[in-house]
Amino acid sequence: MKEMPTEELSAVNGMSEEDNSVVTEDNSLQKATLLVVDDNHDMRRYIRSLLKNEYKLLEAENGVEAMKIIEKHQVDLIVSDLLMPEMDGLELSKRVKENLATSHIPFLILTAVHSEENEKKCYSIGVDEYLCKPFDADIFKYRIRNILTLRRGYQERLSQPAVLSDISELGLIEESRDKIFMDRAMELMKLHYAEAEYGLDAFVRDMGYSKTLVNQKMQSLAGMPIGQFMKNFRLDMGRQLLEQGKGDANVSEVAYAVGFNDPKYFTKCFKQRFGCLPSSFSHA
């Protein structure tokens, strides 16, 4: 796991001018990594021929091998056969979806067994797609592309102003580990956004998981590190306060009210996020 980005430090002691500027990477230029799990070598080779030009591919013969690969590599989507020795696709999908560290990974089941019961079981666990063999190559590729596009859409919407105040628009599955995680993150920020001393360490402590896991999960679901998530939330709350003030709000007072120690830094970050100065909402 990579070390915490330097911009995360902006959340440790409140938001101040001394904080490092946030540098974002264009993830759209990076190929997604797919894990193909199937005990049939010829099927893996066929799938590889369909996907090798668009994605980075990892392979496993069964669920046991797949779990070892998932522990060592970042995987963006899993394509798995249903019936396999040692650990089948149903058990693999269950373990992936029950583990907070991996529950965000989309899962596509491939099977030669046309069973409505198995299909219901897979969807109840949280599998994203269930496709029967033999399958149309183009439909297979479209479904993978659509799943990954939907995941990127979650991240893009979370990065947009005002969305942080309501994650119901993201379409996360109710009672899923991903939804519970984001609900908890939102709840904590709603409680503590005004406290300048409420930084990254306190947030991670209250989330109840390791810093590595919380950062990994935030990156996967929101497409940003913890510190950026916290900063964006505070900026969104600042904009709400300015809008509610209807011209009477003081920028410095609002900056302090949402946990920024430096009004000038608040103004700089506000301009970066919203494309306008906070003074456009205020007399001061």
Side-chain angles (χ1 to χ4, degrees):
M1 187 62 60
K2 296 180 181 178
E3 292 183 1
M4 197 71 65
T6 54
E7 65 267 24
E8 294 271 359
L9 298 176
S10 65
V12 175
N13 295 311
M15 300 292 162
S16 62
E17 180 62 43
E18 289 74 23
D19 300 327
N20 293 314
S21 298
V22 174
V23 179
T24 58
E25 297 180 357
D26 187 356
N27 293 324
S28 64
L29 300 179
Q30 301 175 358
K31 285 186 175 181
T33 298
L34 274 57
L35 172 59
V36 180
V37 191
D38 199 306
D39 59 324
N40 187 305
H41 175 74
D42 291 337
M43 178 56 69
R44 294 202 310 274
R45 183 173 59 183
Y46 174 59
I47 293 175
R48 184 167 65 246
S49 71
L50 295 177
L51 304 177
K52 64 182 180 180
N53 292 330
E54 295 182 66
Y55 308 104
K56 296 179 182 178
L57 299 176
L58 301 171
E59 296 182 24
E61 291 187 358
N62 54 58
V64 174
E65 286 188 8
M67 290 300 298
K68 293 178 181 178
I69 291 174
I70 294 168
E71 290 175 359
K72 296 180 180 179
H73 300 273
Q74 177 179 324
V75 175
D76 298 301
L77 184 145
I78 299 170
V79 177
S80 175
D81 188 25
L82 184 60
L83 300 180
M84 297 179 292
E86 296 191 57
M87 184 191 296
D88 63 17
L90 189 64
E91 180 63 23
L92 174 61
S93 63
K94 184 178 180 181
R95 294 194 183 190
V96 167
K97 293 301 181 180
E98 286 182 347
N99 186 343
L100 181 63
T102 58
S103 58
H104 59 275
I105 302 176
F107 207 106
L108 187 154
I109 283 283
L110 290 176
T111 179
V113 180
H114 294 254
S115 168
E116 193 172 295
E117 182 180 352
N118 282 337
E119 185 174 359
K120 288 180 180 179
K121 285 181 180 178
C122 289
Y123 281 128
S124 69
I125 290 171
V127 166
D128 299 83
E129 284 284 358
Y130 186 96
L131 193 60
C132 292
K133 304 174 186 176
F135 54 83
D136 181 89
D138 287 334
I139 290 177
F140 175 60
K141 290 191 287 186
Y142 288 147
R143 290 194 177 183
I144 288 176
R145 189 180 305 168
N146 289 345
I147 290 172
L148 293 172
T149 299
L150 182 62
R151 177 62 61 181
R152 285 194 295 270
Y154 292 160
Q155 297 178 349
E156 290 170 1
R157 286 196 292 275
L158 263 177
S159 69
Q160 296 302 310
V163 175
L164 283 181
S165 62
D166 183 10
I167 64 169
S168 62
E169 298 179 9
L170 297 181
L172 295 175
I173 298 173
E174 289 295 329
E175 299 182 5
S176 67
R177 290 189 178 274
D178 293 349
K179 179 71 160 52
I180 292 171
F181 177 91
M182 288 307 303
D183 282 347
R184 178 61 175 162
M186 297 292 293
E187 178 186 2
L188 289 174
M189 287 309 300
K190 287 177 181 178
L191 287 172
H192 301 290
Y193 72 86
E195 304 166 20
E197 67 278 7
Y198 192 79
L200 186 148
D201 289 338
F203 177 84
V204 169
R205 177 200 67 213
D206 292 345
M207 286 295 293
Y209 304 100
S210 70
K211 183 180 293 185
T212 297
L213 178 54
V214 175
N215 192 59
Q216 176 194 23
K217 200 68 183 176
M218 191 63 71
Q219 289 276 15
S220 298
L221 291 176
M224 66 185 83
I226 307 168
Q228 187 65 53
F229 168 78
M230 298 177 73
K231 180 188 291 184
N232 285 355
F233 190 97
R234 284 175 159 134
L235 289 168
D236 288 1
M237 293 304 300
R239 176 168 177 163
Q240 286 186 27
L241 291 175
L242 289 167
E243 290 176 337
Q244 291 168 5
K246 297 180 180 179
D248 296 324
N250 179 282
V251 173
S252 294
E253 291 176 352
V254 168
Y256 293 128
V258 295
F260 279 77
N261 288 328
D262 186 346
K264 290 183 179 179
Y265 184 58
F266 170 76
T267 297
K268 175 183 176 182
C269 294
F270 193 97
K271 177 90 163 35
Q272 289 175 341
R273 182 152 174 79
F274 301 111
C276 62
L277 295 172
S279 57
S280 63
F281 296 88
S282 168
H283 289 320

